[in-house]
Amino acid sequence: MADLEVLLFDVDGTIANTERDGHRIAFNEAFAEEGLDWNWSVELYGKLLAVTGGKERIKHYLQHFNTEFQLPADGDAFITHLHKTKTAHYTRMMAEGAIPLRSGIKRLLDESREAGIRLGIATTTTPENVTALLRSGLGDEGESWFEVVAAGDIVPKKKPAPDIYIWAMEKLGVKPDVCAALEDSHNGIMSVNDADIPTVIITVNGYTEHEAFPGANLVVDQLGDPGTPCKALSGSCEGRSYVDLDLIRSLHAG
Ligand code: XBP
Ligand code: MG
């Protein structure tokens, strides 16, 4: 296997646990602001996560969970506007520091930068959301640590399609065999697998802990930190108490 050169990070669920207490709340605030009586409970949102992308998720909700609702004549414009309102709520919440980064993220980023590993983001969420989260979690310079931020509608097909990872690797000018990806979900690992990225580490969260992760080199509850150990759910941490760059290199080497 070629040496590891690049780490590609998913955002939602991987860099931070943003879905239940971030995106879901922002959707509900947008619904209220736009005069809609919709409310996405924690449980319903878990079902809606089957579809990635906020606009796509609203469409899925209307097609399968709220079929009575009469969309206005220009349904796409209605959804685009509603989703813009949601993004405004989400970015405000992130600016207020509503969601911290997951354990080990800052440590692994620091370690990787020091070691000359190139960093990239491959996410379904809207670019403004990535900026707001990284600024809140890493400071104003945080986003510049990533050479590429592949996000949102820049590719027509969102995860589980591989397009966003392929786009990120093209921008970086690298082949999949020098990359490892960090993900949290089944849709995420399907995207990684179909992009031919050989190494993937999964950090589960409440919404994804029972999902299937075919091809994962390691599934853990969190990356962990000194004093905050990770627990391997599948695969081995090779005697380490948290996921560090050496472990990722070892998994990558196979
Ligand atoms: C993230 C998503 C996104 C967010 C909402 O998936 O599915 O839809 O929930 O973001 P992944 P937007 O972590 O696999 O990239 O509303 O901005 O689309
Ligand atoms: Mg995710």
Side-chain angles (χ1 to χ4, degrees):
M1 176 67 67
D3 285 349
L4 181 72
E5 292 176 23
V6 176
L7 288 185
L8 294 170
F9 287 79
D10 168 50
V11 174
D12 297 305
T14 300
I15 288 188
N17 267 327
T18 48
E19 293 292 10
R20 193 190 67 182
D21 300 328
H23 289 293
R24 186 183 67 89
I25 305 293
F27 278 113
N28 284 334
E29 287 179 354
F31 302 154
E33 183 176 331
E34 299 297 335
L36 298 163
D37 65 355
W38 311 350
N39 188 274
W40 289 359
S41 66
V42 170
E43 195 200 348
L44 172 61
Y45 195 68
K47 294 181 185 152
L48 298 174
L49 281 173
V51 172
T52 66
K55 294 187 286 291
E56 294 81 352
R57 190 167 296 142
I58 293 168
K59 273 187 201 157
H60 178 70
Y61 167 70
L62 291 173
Q63 276 162 7
H64 298 278
F65 297 89
N66 188 355
T67 50
E68 309 276 277
F69 183 76
Q70 290 292 320
L71 262 181
D74 193 343
D76 278 349
F78 171 84
I79 289 172
T80 300
H81 173 77
L82 181 56
H83 187 250
K84 258 203 178 120
T85 307
K86 178 258 171 175
T87 299
H89 281 281
Y90 183 85
T91 51
R92 178 196 33 83
M93 287 172 68
M94 295 307 112
E96 289 166 4
I99 308 275
L101 301 189
R102 292 196 70 176
S103 82
I105 290 291
K106 169 80 167 53
R107 171 188 52 74
L108 182 60
L109 291 172
D110 285 340
E111 197 187 348
S112 302
R113 292 177 74 224
E114 213 151 287
I117 293 285
R118 301 171 71 191
L119 302 172
I121 296 263
T123 177
T124 294
T125 203
T126 304
E128 295 98 290
N129 296 347
V130 180
T131 304
L133 176 70
L134 294 181
R135 196 166 279 171
S136 145
L138 298 171
D140 286 349
E141 302 302 308
E143 194 171 11
S144 70
W145 299 358
F146 297 89
E147 266 183 69
V148 61
V149 176
D153 296 330
I154 48 163
V155 289
K157 279 196 269 165
K158 295 183 176 169
K159 298 176 189 175
D163 305 34
I164 196 77
Y165 277 99
I166 293 170
W167 193 92
M169 290 188 288
E170 274 172 12
K171 281 276 157 196
L172 288 164
V174 295
K175 295 242 176 330
D177 62 353
V178 299
C179 298
L182 290 98
E183 271 286 352
D184 72 303
S185 70
H186 179 76
N187 279 328
I189 198 169
M190 289 297 109
S191 175
V192 171
N193 288 347
D194 285 347
D196 290 329
I197 295 170
T199 306
V200 55
I201 290 126
I202 300 286
T203 48
V204 296
N205 57 65
Y207 277 131
T208 67
E209 60 192 349
H210 300 299
E211 291 185 344
F213 301 109
N217 300 70
L218 178 65
V219 181
V220 282
D221 61 340
Q222 55 182 350
L223 293 179
D225 267 321
T228 315
C230 64
K231 192 168 130 210
L233 307 172
S234 165
S236 166
C237 293
E238 301 179 1
R240 292 171 175 80
S241 64
Y242 54 90
V243 178
D244 61 6
L245 191 56
D246 274 352
L247 176 55
I248 299 176
R249 281 195 215 270
S250 166
L251 294 169
H252 184 76

